[in-house]
Amino acid sequence: MRTSEKPAADAAAGLSGPASRKLPVPPRERKPALAALAVLLILGGALATTLLVLRSGDRVSAIRVTQQIGAGQKFTAQALEEVKIAAEGVDYVSWSQLDQVVGSFAAVTILPGTLLTNQMGAKASSELGEGKATVGLALKPGQMPAGLKEGDRVQLVHVPSRASQGESRVLAASALVFSVGDKSRTGNSGQITVVVDSSASPEIVAFASSGEIAVAELPGAR
């Protein structure tokens, strides 16, 4: 009977060893759905980045003004240049329409560096239309301000000479400076051309010929 009890004792001793204290480890669960989602997110991010890079180089040719153009003045090829801009978000005039723009008129005064839009141009000019006249003025120092440019607005004022009787008065309240010439070689005169009402042009020409006219700039009128 003693020999039959030994296996039981050996079994008890075996259960008390280190192996008997290890807990069973459950098998690792694989999650293929999460792995696939991670791959899709990575691919989606890469695609979005690629699209942004491609769109950043998506440019079209537009027209930019390089010289001041007064309201009513014609667009010239010398005052326009090609510039690359984003394809969307701007009501631009395409560079391919340059031939249509040249010869048309500015609806408003346009400053250098302005991107040309459709609202800035017009086929006909109210400034140079019926009832208007262009008048050339040869002025001496003191009769016109320095720095006048095409497109500026000026007043034309009659300044009586000492020999004549009368008071100064405005001949044209807001005349458009159509062009500005260089000063003469002697530096004694400056040539400008202004757009005025045709009804006032004879009087303006008469006073200009006698040197009884002066020009005052209107900086706030464009």
Side-chain angles (χ1 to χ4, degrees):
M1 295 297 293
R2 292 182 180 177
T3 55
S4 61
E5 294 177 356
K6 289 183 179 181
D10 293 340
L15 292 175
S16 63
S20 64
R21 294 193 295 269
K22 292 183 178 180
L23 297 176
V25 178
R28 179 176 296 177
E29 295 182 4
R30 296 183 179 181
K31 299 181 179 179
L34 292 178
L37 179 60
V39 173
L40 290 177
L41 291 175
I42 294 173
L43 292 177
L47 179 60
T49 303
T50 303
L51 289 176
L52 288 175
V53 172
L54 292 176
R55 290 298 299 274
S56 65
D58 191 7
R59 296 288 185 268
V60 295
S61 295
I63 298 176
R64 181 166 60 189
V65 176
T66 60
Q67 304 172 15
Q68 178 171 314
I69 303 175
Q73 289 187 311
K74 283 186 177 181
F75 289 104
T76 63
Q78 293 75 18
L80 306 173
E81 69 176 3
E82 183 181 7
V83 62
K84 296 290 185 179
I85 64 169
E88 300 177 356
V90 181
D91 181 24
Y92 63 90
V93 177
S94 173
W95 180 253
S96 62
Q97 298 176 282
L98 178 64
D99 292 341
Q100 301 176 30
V101 174
V102 173
S104 62
F105 299 87
V108 295
T109 297
I110 306 174
L111 299 179
T114 302
L115 188 67
L116 190 63
T117 64
N118 292 307
Q119 291 74 25
M120 296 179 182
K123 293 296 183 182
S125 172
S126 59
E127 293 288 345
L128 298 177
E130 185 177 356
K132 297 290 184 178
T134 56
V135 177
L137 304 176
L139 303 171
K140 297 178 181 180
Q143 292 182 314
M144 63 177 288
L148 276 183
K149 303 181 295 298
E150 295 180 4
D152 287 342
R153 291 281 178 175
V154 295
Q155 280 186 343
L156 303 183
V157 182
H158 173 221
V159 183
S161 63
R162 295 180 180 179
S164 62
Q165 297 180 354
E167 297 181 353
S168 299
R169 59 189 177 90
V170 176
L171 302 175
S174 180
L176 173 68
V177 178
F178 186 73
S179 65
V180 178
D182 296 331
K183 291 183 178 180
S184 64
R185 294 180 179 179
T186 60
N188 293 328
S189 65
Q191 179 75 29
I192 67 172
T193 301
V194 294
V195 180
V196 298
D197 292 338
S198 57
S199 59
S201 61
E203 189 178 31
I204 292 173
V205 170
F207 288 135
S209 62
S210 62
E212 297 181 53
I213 199 168
V215 174
E217 185 180 5
L218 302 173
R222 293 292 182 183

